[in-house]
Amino acid sequence: MIRRTSHAGSFYPRFKEQIIAMINQWIAGEKVAPDSEKALSLLVPHAGYIYSGACAAKGFHYISQQPFDSFVILHPSHQGIHFDYSVAPFEQYETPLGMLNQDEELFDLLTKDNPDIANQIRYHEMEHSMEVQLPFIKYFFPEAQICPVMIGRPYPQVAMELAQRLKSAINGTEKRVGIIVSSDLSHYYPATRAERMDSVFAEQFLTLDPEKLWHSIVSESCEACGIGGILTLLYYVKEIPEAKAKVIHYTHSGKVTGDNTQVVGYLSALVYR
């Protein structure tokens, strides 16, 4: 079963040459991670490329010299949240740059003893927060496999359960597996307020403390539409004492459109050891 593109030509260009030209422009002169930083996860935005593509590209470029075999993509559902999480069941994923293959081993490990968590097929087919990451993965890691996980209920208890399942799955393979977390930040505030809220988010994210970040979300000090995946990552790395985090790039939509009355915040950040 192939997961066909549903947002090429809207969220990002339809044609390979256009995407490659955009990415090449965005990453020109940008740094890559030093050998001392072993990347564990990358947080990247998922809006239309015209708004957040450069931010995401800088993040992927930063880890592009590291030998990943596979990526788990943690992303929110924008279609419905009546389920905890669902592992995408496709064998291949279409992108304008070519096909990406499912990591069947990770899929089996993540759905072991609970095959029902792969049952939201239509939501997977429609979800842009996963799809917009695929051309970046194909560009920077053309041989890598993927295993997308869509999160419905973005709550700590769901994140803790998924983090443990991820830990078991990743420990159960000999592959180098990275975690891509797909999330935008504050939505539709004036730029000054958005920057303030996004700064709170970044500060909390850098502590790698899921409880503190969740408190900031609940108290509306900051926002992240992919908070379920973010919490999952933070619970996952909680048992890695040497884990650290750093900001790669921050921006918001107003810096592209020139309209600062209602903006959306975008962040690329790294978790490494």
Side-chain angles (χ1 to χ4, degrees):
M1 182 166 54
I2 297 174
R3 196 268 188 196
R4 299 293 182 184
T5 58
S6 57
H7 298 286
S10 56
F11 273 75
Y12 58 93
R14 184 179 301 277
F15 301 108
K16 173 181 179 179
E17 294 76 13
Q18 293 175 301
I19 295 174
I20 291 175
M22 293 174 80
I23 294 176
N24 286 341
Q25 180 181 359
W26 289 331
I27 66 175
E30 295 292 326
K31 296 179 180 179
V32 297
D35 293 339
S36 59
E37 295 178 2
K38 183 179 179 182
L40 298 170
S41 177
L42 185 68
L43 170 65
V44 282
H46 58 231
Y49 279 18
I50 189 174
Y51 303 110
S52 69
C55 184
K58 294 176 196 296
F60 279 103
H61 176 68
Y62 191 77
I63 66 169
S64 62
Q65 301 306 305
Q66 307 217 3
F68 286 104
D69 301 305
S70 187
F71 291 100
V72 172
I73 306 173
L74 301 178
H75 66 95
S77 168
H78 287 84
Q79 312 303 322
I81 60 170
H82 58 277
F83 59 97
D84 288 345
Y85 58 90
S86 176
V87 185
F90 306 97
E91 296 171 353
Q92 289 186 307
Y93 299 78
E94 181 185 35
T95 87
L97 279 67
M99 291 290 188
L100 284 164
N101 292 323
Q102 175 88 302
D103 189 322
E104 297 291 350
E105 181 185 19
L106 279 177
F107 175 85
D108 290 342
L109 289 168
L110 286 171
T111 57
K112 184 180 180 181
D113 302 322
N114 189 3
D116 289 342
I117 61 177
N119 62 3
Q120 303 293 334
I121 293 179
R122 185 56 181 153
Y123 285 4
H124 286 290
E125 291 175 334
M126 298 171 64
E127 185 53 53
H128 73 273
S129 66
M130 184 275 289
E131 183 177 326
V132 298
Q133 311 304 343
L134 302 186
F136 289 119
I137 294 173
K138 187 64 178 178
Y139 177 94
F140 290 104
F141 302 93
E143 302 303 319
Q145 296 180 316
I146 62 171
C147 187
V149 182
M150 180 173 60
I151 297 172
R153 298 185 181 95
Y155 305 127
Q157 60 269 30
V158 174
M160 283 187 276
E161 176 190 333
L162 179 53
Q164 286 303 310
R165 190 174 282 268
L166 274 177
K167 179 183 176 182
S168 297
I170 293 175
N171 289 343
T173 179
E174 296 181 358
K175 299 172 185 174
R176 171 87 181 269
V177 180
I179 300 174
I180 303 299
V181 182
S182 178
S183 181
D184 296 336
L185 300 187
S186 60
H187 279 58
Y188 309 127
Y189 297 102
T192 52
R193 183 178 177 186
E195 290 170 358
R196 186 165 60 249
M197 294 176 71
D198 296 341
S199 177
V200 170
F201 174 89
E203 289 174 6
Q204 297 288 4
F205 182 82
L206 292 179
T207 68
L208 298 179
D209 187 324
E211 286 82 14
K212 286 184 178 179
L213 178 57
W214 179 244
H215 180 267
S216 294
I217 293 289
V218 172
S219 66
E220 299 183 350
S221 298
C222 61
E223 290 180 353
C225 61
I227 187 60
I230 296 166
L231 291 176
T232 299
L233 168 65
L234 297 187
Y235 283 116
Y236 173 82
V237 301
K238 199 170 185 179
E239 298 178 21
I240 304 175
E242 67 272 27
K244 299 178 182 179
K246 66 187 295 183
V247 169
I248 298 172
H249 186 74
Y250 170 76
T251 190
H252 59 70
S253 59
K255 294 182 182 293
V256 174
T257 65
D259 182 359
N260 288 308
T261 58
Q262 287 188 324
V263 307
V264 178
Y266 312 119
L267 179 72
S268 282
L270 176 72
V271 178
Y272 65 100
R273 65 196 313 174

